[in-house]
Amino acid sequence: MSGYWPWWVGAAGLALITVNYALATDRSFGVSSAWDRVLHWRRERRLERMDEEFTDERALADALAAATAEHFGTSPAAPTVPPATSGTSQPLETDAESTVGEDASVTSPGPAPLVTQAALLVSIFFGGLIAALTSGRFHLRFDMGPGFRNVVTANPTTMTVLLFVGGVLVGFGTRLAGGCSSGHGLNGCGRLRPVSLVATPVFFGTAVAVSFLLWKVI
């Protein structure tokens, strides 16, 4: 690796990863959601255990029945079956049950297992490290490079404050928008999700505007 790959190679690689991930997991590929779940791994692991307990439909039905009995009581006077009203027929119940079944069948799957999202973050780190080492560009630095020094600031204290505030704003905006550029731009737009078709132009339009202001105006 003597230089950066052409842009179209990176685009083809991202497309291949995104399509394979969607086909294999039927889930969206995103980095910010992975960070959120890994940082709150205790909560996410507890939720995963709860999901595992109710993979058996019979166990789930029994648990729901026990919770209903505990909340409403088991008085014999309480009707167990809703009284039929005039004009209501048995086929209507069948239609309702089929509708519920159809809704359950199209329900989107839950998030990917926590361990796979942790592996994703670790892979991103080591992928960048391997690329830097093989290209001969790896070296430790504690600034953002000459471009940042010339355009923004060369003061290390100011640089740290700006990077911290910028990171907070990026994290807040990402969670507020329900995903980052990888989640909305690569997956959401590929699936033609309306929120992603709106969020992605806002992301990149704002980046272009800010870059223009930094380089041409400020």
Side-chain angles (χ1 to χ4, degrees):
M1 292 179 63
S2 58
Y4 291 110
W5 288 357
W7 66 267
W8 57 269
V9 176
L14 287 174
L16 183 62
I17 292 172
T18 303
V19 171
N20 286 336
Y21 187 87
L23 292 177
T25 66
D26 194 26
R27 295 178 175 92
S28 294
F29 175 85
V31 177
S32 64
S33 59
W35 271 113
D36 179 64
R37 297 193 67 220
V38 170
L39 290 176
H40 299 90
W41 65 271
R42 289 186 179 88
R43 178 198 64 190
E44 295 297 329
R45 189 69 190 104
R46 185 170 62 252
L47 293 175
E48 285 185 351
R49 290 195 186 100
M50 293 174 61
D51 290 339
E52 291 172 358
E53 291 178 359
F54 296 115
T55 52
D56 184 4
E57 294 184 359
R58 183 60 186 175
L60 177 59
D62 292 341
L64 291 175
T68 303
E70 180 182 358
H71 184 75
F72 294 103
T74 56
S75 174
T80 57
V81 179
T85 58
S86 58
T88 303
S89 59
Q90 184 65 26
L92 184 59
E93 291 185 10
T94 304
D95 294 342
E97 291 177 359
S98 63
T99 303
V100 172
E102 291 173 0
D103 292 340
S105 64
V106 299
T107 301
S108 59
L114 184 61
V115 63
T116 63
Q117 297 196 327
L120 166 67
L121 300 179
V122 174
S123 300
I124 292 175
F125 172 80
F126 281 104
L129 178 62
I130 293 171
L133 291 173
T134 54
S135 64
R137 294 192 180 94
F138 177 80
H139 63 279
L140 293 176
R141 62 186 311 165
F142 299 95
D143 62 0
M144 296 294 290
F148 191 89
R149 290 197 301 267
N150 297 333
V151 176
V152 184
T153 180
N155 185 287
T157 303
T158 305
M159 179 194 70
T160 302
V161 172
L162 289 177
L163 290 177
F164 178 80
V165 174
V168 171
L169 292 176
V170 169
F172 176 79
T174 297
R175 302 315 299 159
L176 183 66
C180 58
S181 56
S182 62
H184 284 300
L186 294 177
N187 286 275
C189 288
R191 295 186 174 195
L192 299 179
R193 293 180 175 173
V195 64
S196 299
L197 295 175
V198 174
T200 303
V202 172
F203 286 157
F204 291 100
T206 303
V208 170
V210 172
S211 299
F212 178 80
L213 289 175
L214 288 176
W215 286 96
K216 301 297 183 180
V217 178
I218 300 178

